[in-house]
Amino acid sequence: MTTGAASMLTMVGLSHHNAPLAVRGRFAIPADELPAVREAVADAFGAGAIVATCNRLELYVPGDHEPRALTGFLADAAGVAPSLGERYLLPRRDEEAVRHLYAVAAGIDSMVVGESEILGQVRGAFSATVAAGADHALLSRLFHTAIRLGRRARSGTAIGHGALSISSIAAQQARALVPDLARASVLVIGAGEGGRLAATALADHGVGSIAVSNRTASRAEALAEELGGRALPYESVGAALATADVVIAATEAPEPVLNTGRVASALVRREGSPMLIIDIGVPRAAEPAVAAVPGVTYRDIDDLQEVAARHAQARAGEVATVEAMIEEEAASFLEWWEQLRIVPTIGALTERAESMRRTELDRTLRRFDATPEQREQLDAMTRALVRRILHDPITTLRQRGDREVYLDAVRQLFRLDDEASPDDAADGAS
């Protein structure tokens, strides 16, 4: 866009690319708090969309805003210091922000390249934006085109063929580290989306038994029924650890559920039998120190990134194809925005010219007694004259890429922003 032009879109965000797990955990906003935060976006900025997943937190706001206002808002929502927001919430504007959301929806910005879960999360983010009354015409166009691109990337390329996800990688790690998964006992702590997907992937591999525990008992019962397992009261997690060979920890709790004391106690009762803990919670569901407990193998979400990186290398060629799709879709979006942006100026210019035409025509007709036929002919002639005069300026506005300069020039030359009436302008020029 033209240097100095007002931005159409301001965005800030962090992800696994620029923020370590400990920082991402501090910015994690609990799912039950997000509706209120989205409503607060509407109050603060008029409109805005939040994309929140286990590996990213992003805020998209239409218009030209100071990034500090957006980083401060998200920092406040997450309960962290504004300075932390300014350090990790990276700003993007206009084309860069558009391309970024397209890359996110297409799955090429994910920790696991090509994973399909993110597309549903982008769709859910915009649906939640609408429900919170924080939507806007630009956001609607942006998210709908992002979702469409995400579908096209997966149907038109092999980016999603055989794609893994963090949840499926977690199950893969369990298969690799537990010799006899068919006889293993699995404990799932957290019945949210991450826990459900990881548990489902393990169930598909034929684990011996699955127990599910969650703060909300009804959610644990629903997931346990879906998996053919059993639900456990949340207070029973400590006791259940003693019989668990594999623990999938996927809570959204602000504090770790698994501490070293609880895990060490379980290992004593297991009499040396090893335990695998896969922690896909953000923030962490387990203290990192549990990795030092004898007999425990601990993997957090960043440990799974090595597997994800190998997966990405196999899809490098598909990424280039998807990037070309992103460029094409971004160009189309920007063209739509430019056309939308010039419509008010063209409308104001046309209205101003038509108002002046009618005023001058009425003055002229009052000076002599014209027949109805003459009046009709003069009206048609002046209409045609105005159309011809405006044709080139309007065509230039629609065709030029650096339209901001032309929009400003037209509005100033034709005094479109003046409060004076066309009659006043005409009298001043006479």
Side-chain angles (χ1 to χ4, degrees), residues 225-277:
E225 182 178 356
E226 179 182 337
L227 299 173
R230 70 187 193 282
L232 295 175
Y234 199 69
E235 299 76 19
S236 302
V237 166
L241 286 173
T243 60
D245 302 304
V246 179
V247 178
I248 302 293
T251 66
E252 295 181 348
E255 300 295 332
V257 174
L258 301 178
N259 56 43
T260 52
R262 174 177 270 187
V263 173
S265 175
L267 262 293
V268 170
R269 284 177 284 164
R270 290 177 62 79
E271 299 180 347
S273 180
M275 176 190 296
L276 170 63
I277 298 177

Side-chain angles (χ1 to χ4, degrees), residues 3-254:
T3 302
S7 293
M8 65 171 173
L9 179 67
T10 308
M11 170 263 179
V12 299
L14 60 77
S15 72
H16 58 285
H17 291 299
N18 74 299
L21 177 57
V23 172
R24 301 201 303 274
R26 294 187 65 182
F27 278 94
I29 301 174
D32 59 352
E33 295 180 14
L34 277 171
V37 174
R38 288 188 166 102
E39 290 178 2
V41 168
D43 292 337
F45 304 106
I50 293 177
V51 177
T53 73
C54 61
N55 274 322
R56 73 178 67 248
L57 177 65
E58 299 173 348
L59 172 59
Y60 297 80
V61 177
D64 194 357
H65 299 270
E66 282 295 328
R68 181 174 291 186
L70 276 65
T71 60
F73 177 89
L74 285 182
D76 182 65
V80 302
S83 58
L84 199 66
E86 291 177 21
R87 179 177 178 183
Y88 287 102
L89 291 165
L90 302 180
R92 296 179 176 88
R93 290 187 184 276
D94 303 329
E95 299 99 322
E96 187 183 6
V98 170
R99 291 189 184 96
H100 176 74
L101 182 62
Y102 286 172
V104 170
I108 65 171
D109 194 69
S110 299
M111 179 181 287
V112 183
V113 173
E115 58 99 355
S116 60
E117 293 168 14
I118 187 62
L119 184 57
Q121 290 166 330
V122 169
R123 185 187 301 109
F126 184 66
S127 296
T129 299
V130 174
D135 54 317
H136 180 277
L138 183 141
L139 291 176
S140 179
R141 180 83 174 198
L142 176 63
F143 274 79
H144 280 105
T145 53
I147 293 165
R148 181 179 66 198
L149 173 66
R151 292 197 195 103
R152 189 158 64 94
R154 289 167 176 80
S155 63
T157 74
I159 193 71
H161 291 183
L164 301 176
S165 65
I166 288 298
S167 302
S168 60
I169 289 177
Q172 188 182 87
Q173 288 286 289
R175 291 180 66 192
L177 296 170
V178 178
D180 191 359
L181 199 58
R183 300 180 61 182
S185 174
V186 177
L187 171 63
V188 180
I189 307 174
E193 186 69 3
R196 184 184 69 79
L197 291 170
T200 300
L202 278 172
D204 290 342
H205 290 309
V207 295
S209 66
I210 295 181
V212 183
S213 185
N214 191 72
R215 286 186 183 277
T216 304
S218 59
R219 295 184 68 183
E221 292 166 359
L223 180 56
E225 182 178 356
E226 179 182 337
L227 299 173
R230 70 187 193 282
L232 295 175
Y234 199 69
E235 299 76 19
S236 302
V237 166
L241 286 173
T243 60
D245 302 304
V246 179
V247 178
I248 302 293
T251 66
E252 295 181 348

